[in-house]
Amino acid sequence: MHLTGLSAFPITPADAEGRVDGPALRRLVARLCEGGVDSIGLLGSTGSYPYLTREERRRALEAALDEAAGRVPVMAGIGALRTDEALRLAQDARAAGAAAGLLAAVSYTPLTDDEVFAHVATVAQESGLPLCLYDNPSTTHFRFGPELIGRLSRVPGIVAVKSPGQEPQAVAGHLAALRAAVPPGFSLGYSGDWTATEALIAGAEAWYSVVAGMFPEAAVAIVRAVRRGDVAEARRLDARLEPLWALFRQYSSLRVMYACADLLGLTQSVPPRPILPLGDEARGRVAEVIRALELDEA
């Protein structure tokens, strides 16, 4: 499994009790398959993985994999506080047919590098599922440094890292530090949609995208422009989406994507409590932006 290109991260529609809405999730997955994404990142942070039970994660996986039907590989979030629970989730994902697992260093007690190394290496070695490291310090309060990523990149089965978005002036240096630490073929990718275009231009192999989980065509167009070397067009397409990026920064991409899904009639699910859906004023702004960008016609 070599993660490259555009990986789309959809929400996981569920009811107030956390029961996954399979038909709604299938609609989202079908939208992504038809939109031309390179992979689907199911049960990421946008997919609310920490809020779902093991059983509901399995139900989400089964629905998504059945809908994708091999057209697009699916990577499943397997993060958990305990190593044994993350291992069970990885085993579930492998048994269901996921192509890879996305493993964050979820913590309550702050973790050391050695603890995270043992945690991730155990899951990789005992599950047999290819893993992407999930560096998401804003939620886990743990940061994967280049030295730790380098150590983990040499563990069989650990194939990629999903790094948080970097400021444009910092991304080239961040990439260089990671490249110096990892072996050839280890995939370096970024999240943070409003910074991802510059990361791709700088040479990142993958964009782990929230916007692609709802509006795949908009993100696919940027990736294709970078691939053909049309940097000016990639930047133009990115700049056009700035009103949406502004909403992400103000309200969080998770809340905005739930509002978009509702406005588009794809699902009436709301974020898992205690997260509250956007109020009427904010929803109105989201509606205005997706209408002005013609994303409601996608």
Side-chain angles (χ1 to χ4, degrees), residues 5-273:
L6 181 65
S7 188
F9 281 64
I11 64 172
T12 307
D15 65 17
E17 284 70 46
R19 291 187 292 265
V20 170
D21 183 342
L25 180 57
R26 284 174 175 272
R27 287 194 292 273
L28 294 174
V29 169
R31 187 179 175 92
L32 303 185
C33 292
E34 293 160 7
V37 304
D38 296 296
S39 64
I40 294 171
L42 191 74
L43 299 170
S45 293
T46 303
S48 306
Y49 75 92
Y51 300 91
L52 297 171
T53 65
R54 180 183 178 189
E55 179 184 359
E56 292 305 317
R57 292 201 208 188
R58 276 199 302 250
R59 290 187 64 239
L61 259 173
E62 290 165 1
L65 287 162
D66 188 61
E67 183 63 39
R71 291 177 289 170
V72 178
V74 174
M75 176 172 65
I78 57 170
L81 279 168
R82 293 177 57 93
T83 300
D84 52 5
E85 180 64 12
L87 175 57
R88 285 190 287 269
L89 292 166
Q91 291 167 335
D92 289 346
R94 184 183 182 195
L102 179 65
L103 183 55
V106 182
S107 64
Y108 180 81
T109 298
L111 299 174
T112 69
D113 279 12
D114 286 344
E115 287 167 339
V116 171
F117 180 87
H119 173 69
V120 177
T122 297
V123 175
Q125 292 166 347
E126 296 188 19
S127 72
L129 180 71
L131 297 185
C132 176
L133 306 174
Y134 187 8
D135 187 8
N136 192 16
S138 65
T139 60
T140 64
H141 310 293
F142 179 87
R143 185 177 294 277
F144 284 81
E147 191 271 338
L148 177 57
I149 293 171
R151 288 173 64 195
L152 286 166
S153 70
R154 288 165 172 80
V155 174
I158 301 177
V159 299
V161 63
K162 175 183 183 287
S163 292
Q166 306 291 311
E167 292 302 317
Q169 67 273 17
V171 67
H174 188 264
L175 264 171
L178 293 182
R179 288 207 195 285
V182 304
F186 188 86
S187 176
L188 304 177
Y190 290 85
S191 57
D193 280 359
W194 54 91
T195 63
T197 297
E198 291 303 319
L200 291 172
I201 291 169
E205 283 93 5
W207 173 12
Y208 298 98
S209 173
V210 173
V211 75
M214 190 67 60
F215 305 110
E217 292 85 356
V220 165
I222 292 173
V223 172
R224 288 178 177 170
V226 174
R227 281 176 172 166
R228 65 176 182 265
D230 193 343
V231 170
E233 176 65 2
R235 286 178 170 148
R236 184 192 72 80
L237 292 168
D238 173 65
R240 180 176 180 270
L241 294 174
E242 175 55 31
L244 186 59
W245 303 154
L247 293 175
F248 280 12
R249 291 190 293 267
Q250 181 172 1
Y251 298 115
S252 84
S253 56
L254 174 70
R255 294 181 180 90
V256 172
M257 286 296 99
Y258 270 94
C260 288
D262 185 29
L263 289 164
L264 295 175
L266 295 170
T267 172
Q268 293 183 328
S269 297
V270 295
R273 295 295 298 271

